[in-house]
Amino acid sequence: MNVLPRSSRNTEVSLSQVLQQTGTCLTQLSEKILDLEHTIWGVPTSLGEHVTHANALQALDFMKQATDDLAGLLERLGNAVPPAFAISESDVITPMKLEILRQVISTNANDLNAVENHMEKQEVELF
C-alpha cells in the first residue's frame, strides 16, 4: 500500500489494511493493559485497599478481553475485505486524536516495526 503525504486530502487507503492495522493497534493496547494489571498486582497495599485493587484488576481484565476480541474481529474483517477496496484517509483516519495511532493505522505493514518502536517512546500528556 502506498500512503500519500498527509497534505493530500483525497488519499485513498486500503480498507483491508486499515482494519488489519487497527486490529494490530488493539493487540498492542491489550499488551499495555496486561502490563498495567501486573503493575497493580505488584503494588503493596494496606489491608483495606485489597478490594479496590481486585476491582481494578477485574476491570482491566475485562478491558483486555474486550480489546483482544475487537482486535481479532477487525483482523478477520480485514482479511475478508478485498484488497482493492479503498477508503478516503481524510474521512476515516485523519480525524483520530492521536497522531501515533494515525501513523500506525495508515502505515505500510513493512514500516510498522519502525512506528512501533517510535510508539514505545511516546508520552501522552494528561490535561
Side-chain angles (χ1 to χ4, degrees), residues 6-66:
R6 293 235 182 265
S7 59
S8 174
R9 294 187 182 264
N10 294 324
T11 302
E12 294 287 315
V13 293
S14 164
L15 177 59
S16 173
Q17 184 75 25
V18 168
L19 292 170
Q20 290 172 349
Q21 294 302 102
T22 304
T24 300
C25 284
L26 285 171
T27 299
Q28 293 169 351
L29 178 61
S30 176
E31 292 169 2
K32 297 293 182 187
I33 292 171
L34 186 60
D35 290 343
L36 284 172
E37 281 187 60
H38 290 180
T39 300
I40 290 172
W41 190 254
V43 172
T45 62
S46 64
L47 293 177
E49 293 181 5
H50 178 71
V51 173
T52 304
H53 284 289
N55 290 340
L57 287 170
Q58 286 179 337
L60 282 173
D61 187 55
F62 172 77
M63 288 174 51
K64 182 185 178 337
Q65 289 178 35

Side-chain angles (χ1 to χ4, degrees), residues 95-107:
M96 295 176 68
K97 293 180 181 179
L98 297 176
E99 174 65 25
I100 191 68
L101 291 180
R102 286 193 298 265
Q103 289 175 3
V104 169
I105 291 170
S106 66
T107 299

Side-chain angles (χ1 to χ4, degrees), residues 76-110:
R76 290 187 301 277
L77 284 172
N79 290 333
V81 171
F85 190 80
I87 55 174
S88 168
E89 181 176 356
S90 63
D91 290 342
V92 178
I93 299 170
T94 304
M96 295 176 68
K97 293 180 181 179
L98 297 176
E99 174 65 25
I100 191 68
L101 291 180
R102 286 193 298 265
Q103 289 175 3
V104 169
I105 291 170
S106 66
T107 299
N108 186 319
N110 295 332

